[in-house]
Amino acid sequence: MKGHIMAQESAYTSTKQIPALFKLGVLEGINLDFGGGKYNDGSDYLAEQCVLNIVYDPFCRSEEHNQKAMADFDVFNFNSVTCLNVLNVIRDDVERNIVIKTLENLADTADLDKVFIQIYEGDGKGIAHPTNSQMNRKTKDYLPEIMEVFAGWEYTLIGKSKKNIIQLTK
């Protein structure tokens, strides 16, 4: 995993919250939370649900933490990979594609059949915020990029609103 970093420096976009996906009860076993931020609220919440959440985030976690996360990924049998509210703060298409390809590679390496991507849509108008990295794009606007990489996978929009959480399955 060394050399593969999320292109958008996200330390300032990390928020202290429990992602909506985590509250759905769809995760089980061990999850790799790619770009999981600097706070442990989500991991603590999932631990109460008997789910081990291993966070990898090159901008919000130490190099030691991330090396351990990748070592764990190589050793344990993960059940899923999540990437929550990350793509929506990466403005560059090429950099976003690197993240999506990394997710597919992780799923392929661990022989996973479940990947979850959550998009924070902001105001949904598709105009990037002038002072932060929020793209304000709808989830459906990211689907062509995602499905080009995850060719052969199926997607379903899940969650209470059924609009901003993408479940990818083989």
Side-chain angles (χ1 to χ4, degrees), residues 2 57-58 61-69:
K2 193 170 182 148
D57 193 314
R61 302 289 174 131
S62 70
E63 185 175 340
E64 289 174 337
H65 174 95
N66 289 320
Q67 287 175 350
K68 182 177 180 330

Side-chain angles (χ1 to χ4, degrees), residues 81-159:
V81 172
T82 56
C83 184
L84 311 176
N85 305 319
V86 171
L87 298 182
N88 50 274
V89 295
I90 303 174
R91 291 185 181 219
D92 185 78
D93 295 352
V94 173
E95 293 175 352
R96 216 171 25 256
N97 187 262
I98 290 168
V99 171
I100 296 166
K101 284 181 177 179
T102 300
L103 294 172
E104 197 278 333
N105 185 294
L106 289 167
D108 187 50
T109 299
D111 198 27
L112 299 176
D113 60 2
K114 283 192 271 188
V115 174
F116 297 90
I117 299 172
Q118 182 172 313
I119 303 295
Y120 176 69
E121 296 182 345
D123 66 15
K125 294 180 181 175
I127 300 169
H129 192 280
T131 60
N132 67 36
S133 295
Q134 179 52 247
M135 296 289 292
N136 293 313
R137 292 171 55 195
K138 299 275 189 188
T139 302
K140 66 181 178 146
D141 296 336
Y142 296 91
L143 283 172
E145 296 174 59
I146 293 167
M147 296 315 296
E148 181 179 328
V149 173
F150 281 87
W153 289 60
E154 293 185 17
Y155 80 88
T156 308
L157 298 178
I158 64 169

